[in-house]
Amino acid sequence: MKKPEATYLKDYVPPSHSIEWCELEFDIFDEKTIVKNTMEITASDKVDATLFLNGEDLELLSLKCNGVEMDTRNYVKNDRGLKIFSLPAKCTVHIATVIYPKQNTRLEGLYLSGGIYCTQNEPEGFRRITYFLDRPDNMTVFTTTVIADRKRFPILLSNGNMIEKGCVSDTRHFVRWHDPFVKPSYLFALVAGDLDVFSDSFVTSSGRSVELNIYVDKGNGHRCSYAMRSLKAAMAWDEKEYGREYDLDVYNIVAVDSFNMGAMENKGLNIFNSHYVLADEEHATDQDFMGIESVIAHEYFHNWTGNRITCRDWFQLTLKEGLTVFRDQCFSADMNSPVVQRIKDVKMLQQRQFAEDAGPTAHPIKPDHYIEINNFYTATVYEKGAEVIRMLHAFLGPEKFREGMDRYFILFDGQAVRTEDFISALTQDCSIDIEQFKLWYTQERTPILSVDGSYDAKNREYTLRLTQIIPKSVEGKEQKPYLYPLRFALLDEGGKELDFLLDDNSQTKHKEGVLIVSKEQENILFKNVAVCPKLSINRGFSAPVKVIFKKADYGFLMSHDSDGFNRYEAAQMLALQNMIGMAEGKEEDGRFIEAFGKALSDKRIDLMSKALILELPGVDMLMQEQKPAEIESLVSVYEKLLKTVAVTYKDVMSEMYEQLNGMDSSSIDAEDMAYRAMKNRLLGYLAELEDDYAKELCLNQYYNATTMTERLFALKMLEDHYADAAQKALNDFYDKYSSYTLVMNKYLSIIASSKRDGVLERV
């Protein structure tokens, strides 16, 4: 078997030609689609007249240059593409091909699924539609005509603005679309089907009215209002925060069950799986609503960070994805709670990306080679990439970051660029060592920061010792110390921040409460510190590192830290230490139980944050801490600690639950979501008791629920803990929702993840 060949960044060569404009015509029939492709092609300087166009699984009908059929001696066709010889420096090439969307089981390019034609072209699907320079640095103006049966495919969509429509015959019609903005082929999109539409409009800051449409499978139109609301909020936010106004006359979204990916940001025609768009208050959970808000915004924000400015090559993928994830995280923080959003973002990073970074497939956010580019659509490129942008934001501050982003948009609009171009535009006024900071792009694995501290009461000095532990590269490359911002505070016994003087001979402070970490080892001296401080380090998760601080008083921080994220992190760390110790045969740590009670009763903590602080880290996080992981042991200690907490605080939790249960909290605003989150957290602990009281609570919540969030959680508690009552509730749920695919996915998930014996047989 032939060993797969790697593609290397160092071997990048600009395209030999550029395609200035492209006119496409799709003639859709039952068994085949005829694609006519007319391109204006210009040769680059210092190249010969040979052009290679990517193409796979295409049936070539004709090939013309400037209207003249080309001699077969002037081109060679193979399974990777089409090589054309002796082309003029500038010419018009016409190619007609046949493709078979119904047979396209790879679901790349144009495919037919569920009676709907869809495209998925990122990263290299367009070559399965027509012969083309299918690479992101070829930027082209597209005009697209779609022809199909009028009755079966009344909706014909593509990128840009609709410029013409009409009849071809008694049974067939066409729609022509024109996108005036250059884009690479991976952003091309086409949809043809019989769809419902939910429409609205948005008036931009300059006064233009933009038509907004969400096309969905038949019968789902009434479930689009939240997605539309999220879209309009994202459009307004991008204008306010980045000065970016939408640029076309229409913004179309297609959300169908048959789309094979999650979501795709094609210019002016985003395509989603319906899971990421459809929601109403009867059938969707709070997590669904927040997820929809985030992903709708993410794909919209790509209009400028990904579409108007795109990647020069696929090694630069984090240029658009890391930046856009950062933008959608900031949007969600502004729409909801900044602390809660930060906790959720870091939780995802630690569970997914830290695990990825610790494994054999660890890679930098900007890899230098790949065998299959699809394998780099990872948490590292996306989530860690966003953390790198966040650090730049911290170094620059909001005003200079905005100035840098404005400069980036002005300099590179309509271009395919590199991460270096982005960093250069962003950091013109930045005093940090940019070359050292760039190591975040090229080094892999999660950095570790070892922390130690000591207090000299006589001289009222606190010395902080920091050591960067640089993990080894997967491929044995030398790894160097990183540069990053480290937010911190010195706290007194009540959690109040202490005053101090920083010895600038030992450390340069970036700004108040932020240190610059840049060396493998450094000692930082704080003078005039009144009492022995409690150290709160990496506040707000200012850098994506693992902190090892053996002297950390996590019980204190869980109870008193004024930084909301660090309070959550302290709870997680204290619980992890407790459970790992239990797995090794040690007794339960009373500090966690005590700190849990303080957080539970602390009325200063908002309910959504409290619900997260009181969540135990999952078995997946325990597995990262124990090497090798003993799964049965970890599950056992996890469940034991859950029950211990429930037994200890049963009365307090019961009282709080009854109080929350008596409130009307059925809306989808942030406050009511917080009520439900806390209510479910309490019910989750009480259900561990497996007594009649908790059983009755679960039954009442299930049958009297006014939201899917409450009903679904109660159903899971019944399934996990009360087998005698669970089946009746499961049958009731099935009877109510069996016609709703997205809801039934949740139903099946509850059964598949059940704690009861015999789950595999039941599945």
Side-chain angles (χ1 to χ4, degrees):
M1 183 176 178
K2 184 179 179 182
K3 186 178 180 180
E5 293 183 7
T7 301
Y8 289 87
L9 173 59
K10 63 181 176 62
D11 295 333
Y12 170 82
V13 177
S16 62
H17 296 69
S18 61
I19 301 175
E20 309 297 327
W21 54 260
C22 174
E23 292 188 0
L24 294 169
E25 179 184 286
F26 291 80
D27 214 350
I28 297 174
F29 298 96
D30 284 348
E31 299 302 323
K32 65 182 180 181
T33 295
I34 299 172
V35 183
K36 296 178 181 177
N37 173 10
T38 303
M39 304 171 278
E40 183 175 89
I41 298 177
T42 303
S44 306
D45 294 333
K46 303 176 183 178
V47 297
D48 61 25
T50 300
L51 167 66
F52 180 77
L53 299 175
N54 304 104
E56 296 178 11
D57 294 333
L58 304 174
E59 186 178 311
L60 182 63
L61 295 180
S62 68
L63 173 62
K64 297 178 181 178
C65 178
N66 292 331
V68 178
E69 192 76 32
M70 293 196 72
D71 191 297
T72 55
R73 291 172 295 181
N74 288 335
Y75 66 89
V76 173
K77 177 181 176 296
N78 60 33
D79 60 357
R80 305 299 295 168
L82 188 66
K83 184 178 287 188
I84 307 174
F85 310 106
S86 305
L87 279 178
K90 188 166 188 174
C91 60
T92 301
V93 173
H94 176 92
I95 302 175
T97 54
V98 176
I99 57 176
Y100 299 91
K102 187 184 291 187
Q103 300 173 22
N104 183 1
T105 55
R106 284 178 56 177
L107 307 183
E108 296 175 352
L110 179 66
Y111 63 91
L112 178 66
S113 179
I116 298 167
Y117 286 89
C118 278
T119 54
Q120 173 54 35
N121 291 317
E122 186 178 357
E124 296 177 338
F126 193 75
R127 62 191 62 189
R128 298 174 62 81
I129 290 175
T130 186
Y131 291 103
F132 206 75
L133 285 173
D134 189 19
R135 45 189 292 169
D137 55 357
N138 175 64
M139 306 282 278
T140 304
V141 173
F142 284 87
T143 302
T144 306
T145 302
V146 188
I147 306 168
D149 182 270
R150 182 169 56 245
K151 186 176 181 180
R152 292 174 54 203
F153 304 103
I155 304 298
L156 305 176
L157 304 172
S158 192
N159 310 86
N161 300 316
M162 185 176 70
I163 57 174
E164 188 180 1
K165 63 180 179 179
C167 295
V168 175
S169 67
D170 291 343
T171 59
R172 296 174 66 76
H173 70 138
F174 77 92
V175 179
R176 183 168 292 118
W177 297 85
H178 176 67
D179 185 356
F181 299 98
V182 292
K183 65 174 178 287
S185 53
Y186 83 85
L187 291 171
F188 175 83
L190 182 153
V191 173
D194 187 6
L195 305 168
D196 283 346
V197 62
F198 183 91
S199 300
D200 204 335
S201 62
F202 178 82
V203 178
T204 68
S205 55
S206 66
R208 291 190 308 108
S209 181
V210 178
E211 178 186 340
L212 308 177
N213 299 306
I214 301 179
Y215 293 91
V216 294
D217 292 312
K218 284 290 187 179
N220 285 335
H222 66 288
R223 303 174 66 193
C224 297
S225 58
Y226 189 81
M228 184 64 79
R229 190 173 88 181
S230 300
L231 172 60
K232 295 173 74 171
M235 296 175 82
W237 187 87
D238 212 17
E239 290 183 348
K240 176 186 174 185
E241 297 298 320
Y242 286 88
R244 296 299 104 192
E245 187 176 299
Y246 185 63
D247 46 12
L248 293 169
D249 299 333
V250 60
Y251 188 86
N252 288 324
I253 289 174
V254 172
V256 291
D257 291 345
S258 56
F259 185 56
N260 66 307
M261 301 287 283
M264 182 60 210
E265 71 267 20
N266 317 294
K267 176 71 179 179
L269 177 57
N270 292 178
I271 308 179
F272 293 74
N273 183 277
S274 54
H275 170 76
Y276 296 99
V277 172
L278 301 182
D280 59 45
E281 294 180 36
E282 181 183 355
H283 300 97
T285 65
D286 294 343
Q287 288 300 112
D288 292 333
F289 285 117
M290 287 188 280
I292 287 167
E293 182 179 67
S294 174
V295 75
I296 288 283
H298 180 95
E299 304 308 333
Y300 174 75
F301 295 151
H302 265 313
N303 188 60
W304 280 93
T305 51
N307 296 2
R308 287 284 289 258
I309 306 176
T310 196
C311 305
R312 187 198 71 174
D313 52 73
W314 291 119
F315 298 100
Q316 321 293 328
L317 183 59
T318 199
L319 172 76
K320 73 182 183 79
E321 295 300 349
L323 176 56
T324 305
V325 168
F326 170 73
R327 279 164 32 86
D328 84 54
Q329 289 175 350
C330 293
F331 166 76
S332 295
D334 285 350
M335 295 300 105
N336 301 288
S337 160
V339 172
V340 170
Q341 185 63 37
R342 190 68 188 129
I343 290 171
K344 289 181 177 180
D345 293 338
V346 176
K347 182 180 174 183
M348 178 181 292
L349 183 83
Q350 291 173 334
Q351 289 177 345
R352 294 178 56 209
Q353 197 280 321
F354 277 19
E356 190 171 273
D357 243 358
T361 59
H363 56 276
I365 66 170
K366 181 181 176 180
D368 62 3
H369 69 281
Y370 61 79
I371 292 175
E372 169 53 67
I373 183 55
N374 281 294
N375 293 337
F376 278 115
Y377 285 79
T378 61
T380 297
V381 167
Y382 282 66
E383 274 73 38
K384 187 175 181 179
E387 294 300 319
V388 172
I389 303 297
R390 188 177 295 273
M391 289 188 288
L392 282 171
H393 185 277
F395 279 131
L396 291 165
E399 291 184 7
K400 286 189 176 181
F401 185 83
R402 170 64 190 272
E403 289 174 8
M405 288 299 301
D406 287 344
R407 190 181 303 116
Y408 175 65
F409 292 131
I410 291 168
L411 288 174
F412 300 114
D413 186 15
Q415 297 180 49
V417 302
R418 304 166 302 153
T419 57
E420 290 87 348
D421 300 316
F422 168 74
I423 295 170
S424 175
L426 207 64
T427 59
Q428 285 189 14
D429 299 322
C430 189
S431 59
I432 65 167
D433 183 343
I434 296 302
E435 290 307 310
Q436 186 181 8
F437 183 81
K438 286 180 182 178
L439 294 173
W440 284 102
Y441 283 84
T442 57
Q443 295 189 164
E444 63 210 17
R445 299 204 181 276
T446 304
I448 298 170
L449 182 67
S450 177
V451 178
D452 193 13
S454 59
Y455 181 64
D456 181 346
K458 180 180 179 181
N459 294 310
R460 303 206 315 167
E461 293 178 344
Y462 181 74
T463 302
L464 179 63
R465 290 176 286 277
L466 303 176
T467 303
Q468 288 199 51
I469 302 172
I470 311 302
K472 293 181 180 179
S473 164
V474 172
E475 299 188 350
K477 300 173 185 175
E478 180 189 3
Q479 305 244 90
K480 299 177 181 178
Y482 289 86
L483 182 149
Y484 51 87
L486 188 69
R487 284 187 59 208
F488 75 99
L490 304 181
L491 307 177
D492 67 14
E493 289 294 336
K496 183 181 177 182
E497 294 187 24
L498 291 165
D499 294 326
F500 56 81
L501 291 175
L502 186 66
D503 182 358
D504 284 332
N505 292 322
S506 65
Q507 166 68 198
T508 301
K509 180 175 64 174
H510 175 59
K511 62 180 180 180
E512 196 64 36
V514 182
L515 300 170
I516 298 176
V517 177
S518 61
K519 302 172 185 175
E520 191 166 350
Q521 289 187 325
E522 43 197 321
N523 294 335
I524 302 152
L525 182 63
F526 300 92
K527 299 180 178 180
N528 291 357
V529 182
V531 296
C532 182
K534 302 287 188 180
L535 177 64
S536 175
I537 199 79
N538 204 23
R539 304 185 107 196
F541 203 71
S542 55
V545 301
K546 288 185 178 180
V547 175
I548 298 175
F549 183 23
K550 294 181 180 179
K551 294 180 182 178
D553 191 341
Y554 292 125
F556 170 85
L557 296 172
M558 182 178 174
S559 302
H560 298 291
D561 202 329
S562 57
D563 182 85
F565 172 81
N566 265 27
R567 195 166 189 176
Y568 162 81
E569 185 80 341
Q572 294 286 293
M573 294 303 298
L574 191 56
L576 277 172
Q577 287 181 356
N578 194 354
M579 287 188 282
I580 292 297
M582 290 165 63
E584 295 170 351
K586 298 176 184 176
E587 293 295 320
E588 290 179 20
D589 188 341
R591 292 178 305 161
F592 174 74
I593 303 299
E594 181 184 353
F596 186 100
K598 289 180 180 178
L600 178 65
S601 302
D602 192 338
K603 295 181 179 179
R604 296 170 300 175
I605 310 175
D606 70 90
L607 287 179
M608 185 67 85
S609 296
K610 184 179 290 190
L612 290 169
I613 289 171
L614 299 181
E615 178 185 26
L616 295 188
V619 174
D620 54 347
M621 293 298 292
L622 287 169
M623 289 168 60
Q624 293 186 38
E625 298 298 319
Q626 188 187 65
K627 304 293 182 182
E630 298 177 6
I631 306 300
E632 289 187 10
S633 172
L634 295 178
V635 171
S636 176
V637 299
Y638 173 77
E639 293 180 348
K640 184 178 179 181
L641 187 57
L642 277 175
K643 196 156 191 172
T644 299
V645 170
V647 169
T648 306
Y649 296 109
K650 176 182 177 180
D651 292 343
V652 177
M653 288 181 171
S654 299
E655 183 181 348
M656 291 179 69
Y657 179 86
E658 299 281 6
Q659 187 178 29
L660 290 170
N661 197 42
M663 297 179 177
D664 179 14
S665 56
S666 58
S667 77
I668 55 173
D669 62 25
E671 184 177 2
D672 280 10
M673 285 185 180
Y675 283 133
R676 292 191 288 273
M678 189 62 196
K679 183 177 166 182
N680 282 349
R681 179 70 65 228
L682 294 168
L683 185 63
Y685 279 109
L686 291 171
E688 291 292 326
L689 299 173
E690 298 187 339
D691 59 15
D692 289 341
Y693 170 72
K695 176 182 175 181
E696 196 62 29
L697 292 183
C698 293
L699 286 168
N700 286 336
Q701 177 163 315
Y702 174 78
Y703 286 106
N704 298 317
T706 56
T707 68
M708 181 58 72
T709 300
E710 295 164 302
R711 176 168 284 120
L712 206 64
F713 188 81
L715 183 65
K716 177 162 181 57
M717 292 302 99
L718 289 168
E719 169 63 24
D720 284 350
H721 300 286
Y722 304 101
D724 59 324
Q727 194 56 54
K728 183 179 177 182
L730 286 167
N731 292 342
D732 177 76
F733 192 91
Y734 184 88
D735 290 341
K736 281 184 170 74
Y737 304 111
S738 58
S739 60
Y740 295 92
T741 302
L742 297 180
V743 179
M744 290 310 295
N745 286 342
K746 297 180 175 68
Y747 165 88
L748 294 169
S749 177
I750 285 175
I751 294 173
S753 61
S754 174
K755 292 183 180 180
R756 286 202 272 150
D757 291 338
V759 63
L760 291 178
E761 291 80 0
R762 293 177 65 214
V763 168

